[in-house]
Amino acid sequence: MVRAEEAARLDRLESQVENGGGGAWEYLCLVRKLKARRSDKVLKHGLSILNDPKARSKLGGEEWTLYEQVAFAAMDCQQHDVAKDCIAILSKEFPGSTRVGRLEGLLLEAKGAWAEAEKAYERLLEDNPLDQLIHKRKVAIAKAQGDLSAAVNLLNKYLEIFMADHDAWRELAEIYMSLQMYKQAAFCYEELILSQPTVPPYHLAYAEASGLLLVLYTIGGLENLQTAKKYYASTITLTGGKNTRALYGVCLCSIAINQLTKGRNKEEKEGSNLQSLAAEALQRDYRERAPKKLPLVISMLKNMKLNS
Amino acid sequence: MRIGFMVGILGGILLAHAGYATIQYRGMLKIVEEEFSRPPMNVVVELLLGLAFCIWAALAAPAKFRSIHPDSEENRIVSLPANLDFMIFNHRGKVFPCNAEYKLKK
């Protein structure tokens, strides 16, 4: 999870390093800690440290981690020679290491040689059959070739063994969403919410998957909408009412539920309070942050209330 | 932070001194053979002062306290990490012009 102040610190460090003030190593450590994907900057500043023998010797043992990080970034930026050089240096220092073998497999993947990469990973798996990262790379190979159903099968098999890996659950949820299998995506998000209940993006994604479920399944659509509304509301609670998308979600869900229950008897009319509160919060938010768009929002809310 | 430390040390010294004075007072009471009900007034004042200094130093000496509200502005979760384990290299970055100057010197 990247929090706002960490993201701000990362951007500050990045602009500082770009404009020539020091702190490149601190920036690279922060990128590694936050798992941000800023490969071009990492490549540039990592190479500037590695090509300077004085700075390199100052790093001591961390030099090898930097080589690994730079190799990764080079592969992302399609600089395969740089990556090959880094891996050569690493394999000279750590011969026969699985971690370096993984990097070599990654290089084959980056070059597009899927079959050779798979063979390399199979070889590594013979020695360490329970290496999580290698299994995940096999899924990535399937994903990169566009074979999403194979990726889904591989991920399911992986998750049967390593059930607590939330990165994998998240990846599976995203693949299901792109395949429009919303019921399965909702299940994955449920797992994520169970393991990390205080992370708002998971609640939001679950609400959207449940809401989209209505598109495919009209029977039982009402329950899915109510679930969606519940999780939009929980996102609002977790973020203290600041998440605009969740506010919109609550408004739209309430209106859709009212439309669906128009024919049936109106015993449960408790939802109207939530809807008006969310509409008010939305208007207040726009008034503070984008006052020019406020008339649009007001007219849209009025239209929705009239039509429903 | 410096002031915090200084005040904290001063508070500690005051408390130690108050303890020492109380022990001396008890010794004197033993000589006079009276009962020890409570330490003299100035020692009590010194104790309270030492307590106030130590509390102030405990709050001021550490650096800025971090926020614990999950919905405060700084703790707001901006984005989820990029899931680097499943990263694929098959993206549009391939058509960017190659920056030939990047080389690892050996």
Side-chain angles (χ1 to χ4, degrees):
Chain A
M1 268 43 74
V2 183
R3 302 183 196 278
E5 73 171 323
E6 292 170 347
R9 189 160 148 238
L10 184 66
D11 291 328
R12 244 199 338 261
L13 267 176
E14 191 174 320
S15 58
Q16 180 192 335
V17 179
E18 285 286 308
N19 295 339
W25 174 241
E26 202 188 331
Y27 172 67
L28 291 168
C29 285
L30 193 58
V31 166
R32 209 167 345 138
K33 178 174 144 212
L34 295 178
K35 299 206 196 156
R37 188 171 177 172
R38 312 226 174 164
S39 305
D40 47 349
K41 304 274 175 354
V42 168
L43 184 61
K44 190 159 91 174
H45 301 298
L47 274 182
S48 71
I49 294 187
L50 287 178
N51 285 338
D52 178 13
K54 221 172 27 168
R56 211 170 59 207
S57 55
K58 226 180 352 174
L59 295 176
E62 312 247 342
E63 180 184 354
W64 313 112
T65 333
L66 184 58
Y67 271 117
E68 192 186 13
Q69 197 178 3
V70 167
F72 212 51
M75 286 188 255
D76 211 11
C77 296
Q78 310 297 322
Q79 307 278 6
H80 300 304
D81 309 314
V82 175
K84 203 156 58 177
D85 291 333
C86 287
I87 298 179
I89 295 178
L90 276 172
S91 56
K92 210 164 44 178
E93 180 67 22
F94 305 104
S97 140
T98 320
R99 204 161 154 181
V100 179
R102 265 205 308 256
L103 276 177
E104 289 172 3
L106 263 178
L107 184 58
L108 287 169
E109 262 187 71
K111 286 195 185 148
W114 313 117
E116 293 180 20
E118 285 221 37
K119 266 199 302 243
Y121 286 137
E122 291 293 327
R123 245 179 302 137
L124 284 171
L125 271 179
E126 278 167 17
D127 303 327
N128 331 18
L130 284 180
D131 191 332
Q132 294 190 342
L133 279 177
I134 298 187
H135 280 111
K136 291 200 234 190
R137 285 326 298 175
K138 283 173 65 174
V139 175
I141 291 182
K143 199 170 89 164
Q145 288 176 297
D147 192 359
L148 287 180
S149 43
V152 160
N153 288 339
L154 280 170
L155 255 182
N156 274 323
K157 268 201 302 245
Y158 171 77
L159 280 169
E160 274 169 33
I161 312 176
F162 301 102
M163 257 181 268
D165 188 348
H166 30 95
D167 278 340
W169 280 114
R170 208 176 113 204
E171 190 63 32
L172 187 58
E174 286 174 13
I175 297 184
Y176 274 139
M177 290 286 268
S178 64
L179 286 174
Q180 297 191 336
M181 299 162 72
Y182 295 122
K183 201 166 165 69
Q184 289 86 335
F187 178 77
C188 295
Y189 281 125
E190 278 169 13
E191 289 282 335
L192 282 171
I193 296 182
L194 261 180
S195 57
Q196 295 181 312
T198 56
V199 175
Y202 294 149
H203 290 246
L204 199 54
Y206 183 52
E208 299 197 344
S210 305
L212 283 169
L213 206 47
L214 176 62
V215 171
L216 301 182
Y217 298 87
T218 43
I219 312 172
L222 185 60
E223 293 156 15
N224 292 327
L225 270 183
Q226 281 169 337
T227 319
K229 190 164 104 168
K230 228 184 340 187
Y231 277 92
Y232 277 125
S234 78
T235 312
I236 297 181
T237 336
L238 279 176
T239 56
K242 292 190 196 137
N243 194 328
T244 324
R245 199 159 166 177
L247 288 167
Y248 270 121
V250 165
C251 289
L252 291 173
C253 276
S254 324
I255 287 165
I257 290 179
N258 286 342
Q259 268 185 331
L260 277 183
T261 53
K262 232 194 311 205
R264 315 181 194 179
N265 40 359
K266 309 197 172 170
E267 328 163 314
E268 313 124 26
K269 265 303 237 178
E270 17 68 44
S272 53
N273 220 0
L274 183 59
Q275 181 184 357
S276 48
L277 282 174
E280 252 181 64
L282 257 181
Q283 290 176 19
R284 213 179 19 228
D285 200 22
Y286 268 91
R287 202 170 293 136
E288 277 174 18
R289 294 203 280 174
K292 287 190 227 144
K293 307 216 175 102
L294 184 59
L296 280 173
V297 174
I298 295 183
S299 63
M300 178 192 78
L301 286 171
K302 261 204 242 305
N303 281 345
M304 292 196 303
K305 284 203 193 104
L306 283 175
N307 284 345
S308 71
Chain B
M1 213 168 89
R2 291 288 158 81
I3 299 186
F5 271 133
M6 291 294 129
V7 169
I9 294 176
L10 185 62
I13 292 177
L14 276 179
L15 287 176
H17 181 255
Y20 182 63
T22 313
I23 295 175
Q24 279 207 314
Y25 179 64
R26 277 189 70 185
M28 187 197 73
L29 280 187
K30 278 202 189 106
I31 298 176
V32 184
E33 282 180 6
E34 278 180 21
E35 269 198 30
F36 176 74
S37 59
R38 60 168 186 74
M41 231 23 240
N42 54 342
V43 174
V44 172
V45 168
E46 202 176 348
L47 269 176
L48 289 175
L49 211 57
L51 174 69
F53 280 168
C54 282
I55 291 182
W56 190 87
L59 291 175
K64 174 173 177 293
F65 283 116
R66 290 207 272 183
S67 151
I68 53 174
H69 281 296
D71 51 320
S72 76
E73 191 45 45
E74 44 197 37
N75 272 345
R76 184 172 60 94
I77 291 184
V78 166
S79 59
L80 291 171
N83 221 352
L84 290 176
D85 297 332
F86 292 101
M87 188 165 100
I88 56 175
F89 301 106
N90 212 3
H91 48 70
R92 289 178 285 183
K94 271 198 219 173
V95 294
F96 278 169
C98 211
N99 216 339
E101 60 186 41
Y102 283 150
K103 245 186 264 301
L104 190 66
K105 297 192 199 125
K106 201 27 194 158

